[in-house]
Each structure stands twice: as structure tokens, then as C-alpha cells.
């Protein structure tokens, strides 16, 4: 089992039960207790669990977002397919704002060889775009959230209010026709709304799992989106409901 998959299983198991011993986690993941102890040290440094002698207890509540480092490689091939489809929808010369999140990071990587003006809303995406030969990079102000490195706050909102983009690429924590686009963090939700308001066209990117989730902070109704790009495993009923709301759904 790859370390990312093992970490995900450890987090889910500890989150579900509250706490588990090293021996229980070793049995669950079919690995050694020494490996589990190293995994727990890494996860404790990321703030998702707390070590105690012989085991670990969860620090993530039900509504908390898993850390960026764990999400970055989760479903990576699907995210890359989504990113490639979004890149095909962007014309050379466009001005584009790219939201934070792991799928949006893949979109940024897919645009590095394009002739565009791009404002990324996270330091992860900004780092991916630095040095792109034909790309004009604009950086917003704001305060980066730890780990996520999403730029939030009044400086970021002011940067978005001062500009008009052809396209906004928006990530999400949850998306469905009944509850709309939602985010875990209130400040992040405000930035998403500001990015959407500054753009002529809004493209949301969402893995299939996002359709079954509704996070705490409401961002916008589904009807505020023009296009949703998702995986080919996205539930057909949710895709149909979005289509009925006037949203173009592309499953790739």
C-alpha cells in the first residue's frame, strides 16, 4: 500500500473511532508497527491527529477538511483528466483566475505553456506557474491559510474586485443541485464568491466524490455556474440535476 493510501486509511479509521492503537493500525493496513509509528509522526506534524503512547487520537472533526498534503495525490489521474479538459476550454489570450485546491493546482500545471494572463489564488498554484514562458502571472494580496496556502482576506478580495476575468476556475468541497457550491472555510467561501463575481464565465472542477458532500460554508447556487467538469464516475442523477439547473456538465 502506498504511503498516501495508508495515511488516508489511518486518518479515516482514527476519525471514525476516535482513537486506535499502533497495533490496531498495523493490522488494519497490513504493515509493521514501526512503519505506523513513522506515519503517525508525519500525520501529527500535519495536525490531523494527536499521538499518545501506543496509539493516536483524531483531531479532525466531521466538518474539517483533510490536509492538502493528503489530498494532493488522492485521485490524481482523475484530477489531471479534469485539468486537461478545462485547459482545452481556455482560449489563448484569456485572463483567468484559478481558485485554490488540489484540482485547481492541476489546472494551473496544465496551463503553464499557454499564452494567458493568470491570477492564482493559492501559493501552490503560483509556484507552479512561476517561470512559464508565455504566461503573464498576476499575484493577489492576502493571507495564506497554513498548509492549504489559499490566499484569503480583504487584500485578496480587493485584488479580485479590481479586475475582470474571462474565466474563473473554481474548486469546491461539496457540490450538488440542491445545496449548491460549498466550502469548509468561511474565508475561502468569500474568496470563491469574489472570484466568481469578477469573471464572465465560471467553470467549477469537482471530482465525483464532491457530489455527495455538503460543507459548512455556502458559496453560490449551482445555477451560478456555467460549466462543471468532473470525472466519468460522477453520479448520473446529480449530473442530470445540474443540467436541469442550466449548468453544462462535462464528464471526462
Amino acid at each position: 500500500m502506498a504511503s498516501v493510501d495508508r495515511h488516508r486509511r489511518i486518518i479515516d479509521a482514527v476519525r471514525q473511532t476516535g482513537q486506535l492503537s499502533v497495533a490496531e493500525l498495523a493490522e488494519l493496513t497490513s504493515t509493521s508497527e514501526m512503519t505506523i509509528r513513522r506515519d503517525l509522526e508525519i500525520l501529527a506534524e500535519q495536525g490531523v491527529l494527536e499521538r499518545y503512547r501506543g496509539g493516536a487520537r483524531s483531531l479532525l472533526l466531521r466538518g474539517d477538511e483533510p490536509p492538502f498534503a493528503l489530498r494532493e495525490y488522492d485521485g490524481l489521474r482523475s484530477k489531471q483528466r479534469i485539468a486537461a479538459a478545462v485547459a482545452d476550454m481556455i482560449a489563448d489570450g484569456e485572463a483567468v483566475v484559478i481558485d485554490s485546491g488540489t484540482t485547481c493546482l492541476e489546472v494551473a500545471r496544465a496551463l503553464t505553456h499557454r499564452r494567458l494572463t493568470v491570477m492564482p489564488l493559492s501559493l501552490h498554484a503560483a509556484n507552479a506557474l512561476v517561470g512559464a514562458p508565455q504566461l503573464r502571472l498576476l499575484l493577489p494580496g492576502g493571507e495564506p491559510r497554513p498548509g492549504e496556502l489559499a490566499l484569503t482576506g480583504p487584500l485578496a478580495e480587493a485584488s479580485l474586485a479590481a479586475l475582470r476575468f474571462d474565466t474563473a476556475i473554481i474548486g469546491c468541497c461539496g457540490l450538488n443541485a440542491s445545496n449548491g457550491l460549498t466550502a469548509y472555510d468561511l474565508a475561502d467561501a468569500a474568496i470563491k464568491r469574489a472570484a466568481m463575481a469578477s469573471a464572465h464565465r465560471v467553470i467549477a472542477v469537482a471530482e465525483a466524490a464532491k457530489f455527495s458532500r455538503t460543507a459548512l460554508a455556502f458559496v453560490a447556487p449551482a445555477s451560478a455556474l456555467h460549466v462543471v467538469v468532473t470525472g466519468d464516475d460522477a453520479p448520473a442523477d446529480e449530473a442530470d440535476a445540474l443540467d436541469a439547473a442550466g449548468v453544462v456538465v462535462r464528464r471526462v
Side-chain angles (χ1 to χ4, degrees), residues 13 20-21 31 59 67-68 78 98 110 126 149 151 157 159 176 205 209 231 233 243:
L20 285 171
S21 68
T31 191
L59 293 177
F68 185 93
S78 177
I98 303 179
L149 299 186
L151 294 162
E157 292 183 48
S159 296
N176 51 65
V205 292
D233 55 343
D243 182 72

Side-chain angles (χ1 to χ4, degrees), residues 30-43:
S30 301
T31 191
S32 69
E33 293 188 11
M34 182 178 295
T35 298
I36 292 297
R37 290 190 183 92
R38 287 197 297 265
D39 290 340
L40 294 182
E41 289 295 335
I42 292 170
L43 295 174

Side-chain angles (χ1 to χ4, degrees), residues 8 27 64 79 101 112 118 148 151 154 162 194 207 213 231 235 246:
R8 170 67 67 180
E27 181 178 358
D64 288 341
K79 293 174 184 176
T112 54
V118 180
E148 198 73 19
L151 294 162
E207 299 167 85
R213 299 175 189 165

Side-chain angles (χ1 to χ4, degrees), residues 11 29 39 48 52 64 75 106 123 143 169 177-178 182:
I11 289 171
T29 59
D39 290 340
V48 299
Y52 65 84
D64 288 341
E106 292 306 318
L123 297 184
E143 180 179 0
I169 311 299
S178 57
T182 56

Side-chain angles (χ1 to χ4, degrees), residues 3 23 37 46 50 58 83 103 133 146 149 159 168 171 190 215 219 224 239 242 245:
S3 61
R37 290 190 183 92
Q46 294 174 352
E50 179 183 31
S58 179
T103 307
L149 299 186
S159 296
V219 177
L242 289 171

Side-chain angles (χ1 to χ4, degrees), residues 123-204:
L123 297 184
H124 289 299
N127 186 58
L129 293 166
V130 166
Q134 301 183 80
L135 188 141
R136 182 187 183 194
L137 181 62
L138 303 179
L139 296 178
E143 180 179 0
R145 291 168 53 203
E148 198 73 19
L149 299 186
L151 294 162
T152 61
L155 291 175
E157 292 183 48
S159 296
L160 290 165
L163 298 170
R164 295 295 179 266
F165 297 95
D166 296 297
T167 303
I169 311 299
I170 304 296
C172 63
C173 302
L175 174 62
N176 51 65
S178 57
N179 293 308
L181 187 78
T182 56
Y184 286 110
D185 185 84
L186 292 171
D188 184 44
I191 291 299
K192 292 180 190 299
R193 283 193 294 272
M196 293 169 66
S198 72
H200 176 70
R201 175 178 61 164
V202 179
I203 300 175

Side-chain angles (χ1 to χ4, degrees), residues 61-83:
L61 301 178
R62 184 177 182 274
D64 288 341
E65 185 175 29
F68 185 93
L70 291 181
R71 302 188 340 262
E72 183 175 3
Y73 299 103
D74 192 17
L76 180 58
R77 290 183 180 178
S78 177
K79 293 174 184 176
Q80 290 172 336
R81 288 196 300 271
I82 291 170

